[in-house]
Each structure stands twice: as structure tokens, then as C-alpha cells.
């Protein structure tokens, strides 16, 4: 009995301990502590019941999309939504949907985050850039097959958590900050039931991971899951850890009237940090509960959702303290007044306003080009230090700042001046000439001009160009420093040049005065030695510009160049050798005709470039002698062949000569008759061969056998047979032709035919 009583008491105690009414509540953050160190507008004594009204939209941006499945069939009933501004649309029976975004126009391009979901299909999430007040067609979006994940979210004591947020991530996993704020990029989401259970559908097929977290809980991720089409996957249990109050920043954003600034934008970073800000958005009541990793003071910026107010900045906000209220400031505008160097209002200009703001659209804005009679443009006063850059046609851009918006009073005065320039006037006599083309060309490094080295002094492509005005004036605003040539061109006039000019973007150059003059011409004649042709020869004329001229001689050797600029011109045959070029320039006067003669003499020496081989084997390092074919065979020149059997032979004479090649080892000698002409010529000879072999009688071992081969082209080759101790000889590369064999000092000689490629056996 005693044992039964003890069991009953134990059961009762256990029931009392684990009954729902007695169970301890889920851990919550510690109550906030008082904050006395940050001087901010005091929090209102009660929760405001009315949120600040949304700003009136100034533009309606439309997004158009068509949803299809993997077979390109339309999907009806797809819900597409944007996170901000909040908007929702559903696709029709053709899969088409139009999403209207009510925006307060502030920038030409903005990013919108979209989500799409439909029963039985994979959900999708993506960002697009859209233009204000325009229709953006997103084309077709394919929704693929999907699966479902079920699971449960529990606390550290394995009790179910109600209302936990679930997010499904595919692809690369988020950074470490996701543990505090959850993953920003996710494809599907859900919330947990009262017992902590959850079910998420619309998960794309493939690898996925489920994250869980919430307002009072740090985020945690489960294992990577393999999602199959139509499958229901067990995602297991996700255990969450309660957030400590020391890691929480409690913020309330109010508009300038003290009403909640719903969905206000907030930027945060550690105080003293110079890195990027983390961006967040307040809820519908203007509240933001932000989890920080480091329990240190933070720098906080806030602005309304439409970015119409001026942002507020608070430094030294510490986590774990009572809620901090940030009241936005009313928008302010300031005039930018632009005047020229004479103090007159500049009526057309544009500008760029840049400030240090964590909000992208607030850090950069433009002043559009427009007509302003008073030289004024109104800009929204930036939130922090800023600069204003003004640009106008024909003026040097001017930047004013950094300016402190807090200490700014009155208007921002900007003085723009004409930039340093290269300028001048074009005249014909004393009359100003309009519409003359003026170009600026970069100077090139060249040597002295001559007929042989007629290089361009400046580049053909101009750096910039303009035309003279009605009063003949012109000007450039050079952007780079260097040496340049200014070129002037007008119909029916000679082109003119000034240069080289030293140009500096920081200094104006002295004025140029260009006087247009009539073009000149050259009439020329090509004079050649008897036997040479002066017809259809190309003649070149150059003066150092990038456009050399050319002309062709007629049947009489005459040529003409028209439309020439005054000054020296170098005239030469295009195919003339350097020694044949006339180095005296032809001087051309404005509107005059210059007479010029080109005299081309015949060559004064013969130059022979050639190769010699026997049986395709180069006569490497053989000696070549040039012999006069006069019966005496006097030697005129002697050169060595290189390892490839090549040579260059020069002679002051022409006519019948002999080329005599002698083997480097004195084994053979070849004579080739040749008719040599003055000038350059190419020559090549490869003697065809046969094979000669046999034996010499024992009585003639000690006697030399001389051979001579005569070809039909008059080539004669002679040498001595190489006989070994056994009386055997072999000449595998013997020149083919009429062969003569003779013992030295003996008669008669033996003659026989040695055909090309044949093998001849002899007994001598």
C-alpha cells in the first residue's frame, strides 16, 4: 500500500509539472533597460494608432509577364507580388499578368523584388530594374515542377514554436548575417503552426535548404534536402535559440508630424566603421527590431519609404536599451544659381549632386538640362555633406563642395568660366570665311623629310574638329596636353597647317590667323636613259601630311599633281631605289604651276644573286670566280658561297662571262656560261646527276683518272675519280651529260653518255 501511495503522489507531481497551465513559457527577451546617454526626441507615451499616410504616387509603373510551364503552356492563377511597393496580381487563362506599382518618382531606374507562386508549380523569386512611369515587359517566365517539405520548429527544450518563419534557399547559401536576420534571397516561405509543425510547398526540384527563425529567435538552417517532383520530404526538426535582449536594437521611425513612417528604410553599421551599411525596412507601424552580432554602439540612418523626407542620422545607438525614436525631417530645397564670368545668369546648364548617403537614390541626383532665364535650379537638400557639379556647353565643368547641409543658408552660387581654348580666325584676304573645316591632329615623332623618308608629321585621325563661324572665328577646348597640328580645309582652296603647337588644357593658346590661298600644281616629266620606259610609271608626291599623292605618267612620261598646298614637295618614282631619288624638293607657290623633272639613269653595275647545287646538294662554301669569256678567261671577281650554296656577285661590266665554281676540297670545278646585264638579276642552277661506278685495272692503280662532263646547256664540270686501294671507285653524284674519262698524261680518252638518273658500271 505504501508503494502504491508513493507512485500516486509521484504521478500527481509529474502531472502538475507538465500540465499546460503550469508549463514555463517560451523564453522571451529581457525587458528593456532605460537609456539616458543618447539625446533623441522622446518616445510618445502611447502607441500611435494612425500611421502616416502614404505619399501620393506621381507615376504608375507597369510590369508585364507571362507564366508558362516546361512545355510552354500558359499557367492560370499564378500570384505575382512585389515586396515594396506592395502590389499583387494574378495571371489570366493565357498566363499573362500585369503588376501595377504606385511609385513616387525619384529616379529613372530602380530595383524591385518580385515573387511568384502557383499551386503545383515551383515558386520563383527575382529582382528586376524598372523605369519610373514606364511599362517593363519581363517576357515569359517558366515555372517548373516542385516538391513539398514538412517538419517542425522547436525551442531548446524541444517545445513547438508557433509563428516561426520558414524560408527555403536554393543555390549558394547566404552569408553569416543570415543567422540574425534570415536569408534575404529565398524561393518559398511559410509559418509554423501552434505545435511548431510546418509544410512548405512550391519548392523547385533539386537541392534546397530550409531556414527557420523569427522575431524572438535566431535563425537556423536544416540539412540540404533533395527535392523530387511531387515528393513530400521530411525536413526534420529545426531547433531555434532565443534572442537575448542585449543583441536587439529597438527602433521606431516617425515622419515629421510624429506619425509612424511605415516601411521606412533604415541603414545601420557599427559606430566608427567605414564599411558598407546594412539596409533594412521598418514594418507597417514604422517599427524595426534589429538583431546585432556585436553588442556595441551603432550608427543608424532612416528615411521614409518613398525617400521624400530628409533622412535622420543618429550615432551611438546601443543594443539592449529602450526603443529609440528617429523622427524624419521635412524635405527642404535650395536653389543653385549659375553665372558666367561676366556675372550674367547662365540660361542652359545641367548638373550632378553627389552626397555621402547610405541610400542609393539619395547619394546621386541630377539637374536636367533645361532653359532657365534666371540661371536657377532647385534641388532637394541632401541629408549629408554634398557637392554640386555644373556642366554647360562651351564651359569648363565646375564642382562646388563639399557643402554642409546643416550650415547652408540661402542659395548655392556657382561660377562657370569658358575653358582654356585653342582659337583663331580664318580669312580670305581681309574677308572672314565661314564653314572652313578645322581639325586638330596629334603630332608624330618623325625625322627630317626627304624623298626617301616621307613620313607623316601628324596623325590622320583628328582629335577634334569644328568649323569656322560666320565671322570666321573658331575654337577648340582641348582635353589633353601635347603637341598638335591645326589643319584648315575649304573647297577650291589649298589646305593649310599650323604646327607643331604646344597645347595645354589649363592654358589658352595664342590666337591663330589662317589665310586661305589658292592651291598650286606640279607639271612634271620623267626622263630616262635609252632602253628604259617612262610610260605608266607611278610617281609619288609628299610633303609630310598623312596623305601622300600619286600620279601615273602618260605615253610621253608627263605627270600632273593638282590642288597642292604651298611649300616644298618631294617627288620621286614609287619604285625608285634610294640612290635614284632626287633629294631636291619642288617648291609650290599659291595659285602657281611648278615645273619638275625626274631623271632616272640606267644602272651602272650588274648584281647577280643566285644559288648553285649538284644533284640537289648545295655547293656549300665553294668558291665562285667571275671570268671574262674572251678566250683568256681573266678573273674579274671572286666570292664564297654560303652553307646553302647562295651567293651575291657584283660586276661593273656586262656581256658574256663564265661562272666558275670550285669545290671547297678541290674535288671538282664547274664552268657555266652566262650573259650578264646591268642591274639586279636572280640566278639558280641545280645540275642533274647520274651514278658512275666500277674498277680500275691493277696496272693502273697508281694513275689518276680525270673526268669531264659536258651538258647540253654548255655547262662543263671536271674532276678526278676517287679510287680506293682495291681499285674500286664510286661517284654517286656525277653530273649527267657527255662524259670523258682519261688517265692523266695518257691517250686516247674514253667517251660515253651518262643519262640523268642512270647507273653506269665501268672497268677501266
Amino acid at each position: 500500500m505504501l508503494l502504491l501511495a508513493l507512485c500516486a503522489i509521484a504521478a500527481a507531481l509529474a502531472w502538475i509539472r507538465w500540465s499546460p497551465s503550469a508549463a514555463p513559457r517560451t523564453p522571451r527577451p529581457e525587458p528593456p533597460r532605460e537609456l539616458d546617454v543618447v539625446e533623441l526626441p522622446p518616445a510618445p507615451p502611447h502607441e500611435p494608432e494612425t500611421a502616416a499616410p502614404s505619399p501620393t504616387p506621381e507615376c504608375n509603373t507597369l510590369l508585364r509577364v507571362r507564366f508558362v510551364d516546361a512545355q510552354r503552356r500558359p499557367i492560370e492563377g499564378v500570384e505575382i507580388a512585389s515586396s515594396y511597393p506592395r502590389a499583387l496580381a494574378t495571371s489570366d487563362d493565357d498566363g499573362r499578368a500585369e503588376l501595377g506599382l504606385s511609385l513616387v518618382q525619384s529616379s529613372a531606374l530602380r530595383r524591385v523584388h518580385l515573387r511568384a507562386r502557383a499551386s503545383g508549380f515551383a515558386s520563383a523569386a527575382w529582382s528586376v530594374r524598372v523605369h519610373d512611369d514606364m511599362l517593363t515587359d519581363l517576357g515569359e517566365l517558366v515555372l517548373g515542377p516542385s516538391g513539398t517539405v514538412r517538419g517542425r520548429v522547436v525551442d531548446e527544450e524541444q517545445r513547438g514554436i508557433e509563428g516561426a518563419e520558414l524560408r527555403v534557399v536554393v543555390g549558394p547559401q547566404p552569408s553569416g548575417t543570415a543567422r540574425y536576420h534570415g536569408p534575404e534571397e529565398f524561393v518559398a516561405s511559410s509559418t509554423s503552426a501552434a505545435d511548431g509543425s510546418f509544410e512548405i510547398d512550391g519548392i523547385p526540384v533539386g537541392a534546397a535548404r530550409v531556414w527557420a527563425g523569427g522575431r524572438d529567435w535566431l535563425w537556423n538552417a536544416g540539412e540540404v534536402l533533395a527535392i523530387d517532383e511531387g515528393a513530400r520530404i521530411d525536413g526534420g526538426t529545426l531547433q531555434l535559440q532565443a534572442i537575448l535582449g542585449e543583441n536587439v536594437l529597438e527602433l521606431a521611425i516617425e515622419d515629421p508630424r510624429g506619425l509612424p513612417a511605415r516601411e521606412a528604410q533604415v541603414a545601420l553599421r557599427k559606430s566608427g566603421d567605414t564599411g558598407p551599411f546594412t539596409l533594412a525596412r521598418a514594418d507597417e507601424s514604422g517599427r524595426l527590431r534589429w538583431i546585432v552580432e556585436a553588442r556595441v554602439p551603432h550608427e543608424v540612418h532612416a528615411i521614409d519609404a518613398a525617400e521624400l523626407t530628409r533622412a535622420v542620422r543618429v550615432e551611438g545607438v546601443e543594443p539592449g536599451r529602450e526603443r529609440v525614436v528617429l523622427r524624419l525631417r521635412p524635405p527642404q530645397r535650395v536653389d543653385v544659381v549659375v553665372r558666367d564670368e561676366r556675372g550674367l545668369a547662365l540660361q542652359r546648364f545641367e548638373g550632378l549632386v553627389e552626397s555621402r548617403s547610405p541610400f542609393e537614390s539619395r547619394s546621386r541626383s541630377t539637374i536636367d538640362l533645361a532653359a532657365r532665364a534666371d540661371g536657377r535650379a532647385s534641388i532637394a537638400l541632401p541629408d549629408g555633406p554634398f557637392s554640386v557639379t555644373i556642366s554647360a556647353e562651351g564651359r569648363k565643368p565646375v564642382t562646388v563642395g563639399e557643402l554642409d547641409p546643416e550650415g547652408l543658408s540661402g542659395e548655392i552660387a556657382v561660377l562657370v568660366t569658358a575653358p582654356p581654348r585653342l582659337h583663331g580666325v580664318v580669312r580670305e584676304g581681309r574677308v572672314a570665311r565661314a564653314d572652313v573645316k578645322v581639325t586638330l591632329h596629334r603630332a608624330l615623332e618623325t625625322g627630317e623629310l626627304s624623298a626617301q623618308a616621307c613620313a607623316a608629321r601628324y596623325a590622320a585621325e583628328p582629335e577634334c574638329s569644328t568649323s569656322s563661324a560666320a565671322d570666321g572665328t573658331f575654337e577648340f577646348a582641348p582635353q589633353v596636353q601635347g603637341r598638335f597640328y591645326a589643319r584648315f580645309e575649304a573647297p577650291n582652296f589649298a589646305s593649310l597647317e599650323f604646327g607643331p603647337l604646344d597645347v595645354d588644357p589649363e592654358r589658352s593658346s595664342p590666337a591663330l590667323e589662317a589665310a586661305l590661298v589658292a592651291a598650286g600644281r606640279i607639271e612634271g616629266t620623267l626622263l630616262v636613259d635609252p632602253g628604259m620606259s617612262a610610260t605608266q610609271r607611278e610617281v609619288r608626291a609628299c610633303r609630310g601630311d598623312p596623305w601622300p599623292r600619286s600620279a601615273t605618267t602618260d605615253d610621253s612620261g608627263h605627270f600632273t599633281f593638282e590642288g597642292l598646298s604651298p611649300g616644298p614637295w618631294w617627288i620621286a618614282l614609287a619604285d625608285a631605289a634610294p640612290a635614284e631619288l632626287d633629294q631636291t624638293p619642288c617648291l609650290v607657290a599659291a595659285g602657281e604651276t611648278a615645273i619638275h623633272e625626274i631623271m632616272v639613269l640606267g644602272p651602272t653595275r650588274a648584281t647577280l644573286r643566285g644559288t648553285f647545287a649538284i644533284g640537289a646538294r648545295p655547293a656549300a662554301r665553294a668558291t665562285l670566280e667571275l671570268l671574262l669569256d674572251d678566250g683568256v678567261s681573266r678573273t674579274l671577281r671572286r666570292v664564297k658561297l654560303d652553307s646553302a650554296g647562295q651567293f651575291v656577285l657584283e660586276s661593273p661590266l656586262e656581256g658574256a662571262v663564265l661562272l666558275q665554281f670550285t669545290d671547297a676540297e678541290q674535288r671538282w670545278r664547274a664552268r657555266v656560261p652566262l650573259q650578264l646585264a646591268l642591274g639586279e638579276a636572280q640566278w639558280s642552277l641545280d645540275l642533274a646527276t647520274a651514278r658512275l661506278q666500277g674498277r680500275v685495272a691493277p696496272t693502273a692503280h697508281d694513275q689518276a683518272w680525270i673526268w669531264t662532263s659536258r651538258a647540253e646547256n654548255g655547262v662543263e664540270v671536271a674532276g678526278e675519280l676517287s679510287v680506293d686501294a682495291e681499285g674500286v671507285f664510286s661517284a654517286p653524284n656525277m653530273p649527267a651529260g657527255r662524259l670523258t674519262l682519261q688517265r692523266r698524261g695518257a691517250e686516247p680518252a674514253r667517251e660515253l653518255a651518262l643519262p640523268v638518273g642512270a647507273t653506269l658500271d665501268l672497268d677501266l
Side-chain angles (χ1 to χ4, degrees), residues 195-391:
D195 61 350
S197 62
F198 66 85
E199 181 172 298
I200 313 172
D201 58 8
I203 303 176
V205 170
R209 176 174 283 178
V210 178
W211 284 73
R215 173 183 172 85
D216 300 320
W217 308 94
L218 293 176
W219 287 76
N220 190 20
E223 298 295 327
V224 176
L225 305 173
I227 309 299
D228 296 323
E229 181 176 356
R232 300 174 68 86
I233 307 297
D234 183 5
T237 300
L238 295 173
Q239 181 176 304
L240 305 185
Q241 178 183 351
I243 296 172
L244 300 178
E246 288 85 352
N247 291 87
V248 179
L249 281 175
E250 294 279 0
L251 304 175
I253 320 300
E254 295 180 351
D255 72 0
R257 297 168 296 174
L259 299 178
R262 62 186 185 188
E263 297 185 329
Q265 299 182 73
V266 181
L268 312 94
R269 69 180 177 187
K270 299 174 186 176
S271 293
D273 192 355
T274 58
F277 285 86
T278 300
L279 299 180
R281 192 176 289 276
D283 60 19
E284 287 286 338
S285 62
R287 299 292 179 83
L288 177 66
R289 190 170 190 269
W290 191 253
I291 314 304
V292 296
E293 180 179 1
R295 300 171 185 173
V296 296
H298 279 65
E299 175 186 353
V300 181
H301 296 247
I303 195 171
D304 67 294
E307 300 183 3
L308 294 179
T309 63
R310 289 187 66 207
V312 63
R313 173 182 177 272
V314 178
E315 185 63 79
V317 180
E318 296 188 29
R321 300 298 181 94
E322 69 178 10
R323 181 177 294 116
V324 175
V325 177
L326 289 85
R327 179 166 295 178
L328 306 178
R329 297 175 291 176
Q332 290 180 254
R333 303 190 70 83
V334 64
D335 280 351
V336 177
V337 182
V338 183
R339 295 184 175 88
D340 63 16
E341 61 271 15
R342 297 169 296 177
L344 301 178
L346 201 65
Q347 298 183 359
R348 290 186 64 84
F349 61 87
E350 57 187 338
L352 177 65
V353 182
E354 295 180 288
S355 66
R356 288 180 287 164
S357 171
F359 307 109
E360 180 180 357
S361 65
R362 303 285 290 185
S363 62
R364 188 181 180 92
S365 61
T366 58
I367 302 173
D368 295 332
L369 182 65
R372 303 174 176 87
D374 58 355
R376 290 178 178 270
S378 177
I379 65 170
L381 191 63
D383 307 318
F386 69 100
S387 64
V388 178
T389 301
I390 298 297
S391 303

Side-chain angles (χ1 to χ4, degrees), residues 622-684:
T623 299
L624 169 59
E625 294 174 280
L626 179 64
L627 308 179
L628 189 61
D629 192 6
D630 58 356
V632 181
S633 301
R634 289 174 295 170
T635 300
L636 302 177
R637 289 285 188 275
R638 182 181 288 112
V639 296
K640 282 279 190 182
L641 277 65
D642 62 17
S643 60
Q646 298 176 339
F647 63 89
V648 177
L649 182 68
E650 292 187 340
S651 170
L653 301 180
E654 60 180 340
V657 295
L658 294 173
L659 301 181
Q660 178 171 289
F661 298 90
T662 304
D663 177 42
E665 299 178 1
Q666 303 289 320
R667 294 173 301 178
W668 54 261
R669 183 184 64 197
R671 281 189 175 185
V672 182
L674 182 68
Q675 194 70 26
L676 193 62
L678 296 179
E680 290 202 9
Q682 297 288 333
W683 182 88
S684 179

Side-chain angles (χ1 to χ4, degrees), residues 443 483-485 498-502:
R483 293 168 67 82
F484 293 86
Y485 279 81
F498 284 86
L501 306 172
D502 290 318

Side-chain angles (χ1 to χ4, degrees), residues 5-154:
L6 291 174
C7 290
I9 293 172
L13 290 174
W15 182 87
I16 293 173
R17 178 175 181 178
W18 296 109
S19 64
S21 59
R25 295 187 180 274
T26 302
R28 299 297 183 192
E30 296 180 11
R33 298 188 294 271
E34 295 297 327
L35 176 63
D36 298 321
V37 295
V38 180
E39 295 183 2
L40 295 171
H46 59 85
E47 296 291 336
E49 299 179 358
T50 306
S54 299
T56 303
E58 295 181 2
C59 63
N60 290 299
T61 299
L62 286 179
L63 302 179
R64 179 179 295 164
V65 64
R66 184 170 186 258
F67 295 99
V68 296
D69 62 14
Q71 286 73 41
R72 293 298 191 275
R73 294 174 298 195
I75 305 175
E76 182 180 4
V78 181
E79 290 185 353
I80 178 173
S82 69
S83 56
Y84 183 83
R86 297 187 186 277
L88 179 67
T90 304
S91 64
D92 58 19
D93 56 0
D94 191 38
R96 300 182 185 277
E98 279 194 0
L99 188 68
L101 305 177
S102 296
L103 302 171
V104 176
Q105 193 167 8
S106 62
S107 63
L109 194 65
R110 69 172 74 237
R111 182 177 294 277
V112 176
H113 193 68
L114 303 174
R115 298 188 184 280
R117 58 177 298 169
S119 178
F121 293 93
S123 300
W126 73 106
S127 294
V128 296
R129 285 195 174 272
V130 298
H131 286 270
D132 289 344
D133 224 7
M134 289 181 62
L135 170 65
T136 301
D137 194 333
L138 304 179
E140 286 190 348
L141 182 67
V142 179
L143 299 183
S146 66
T148 301
V149 172
R150 296 177 299 175
R152 189 164 180 258
V153 184
V154 299

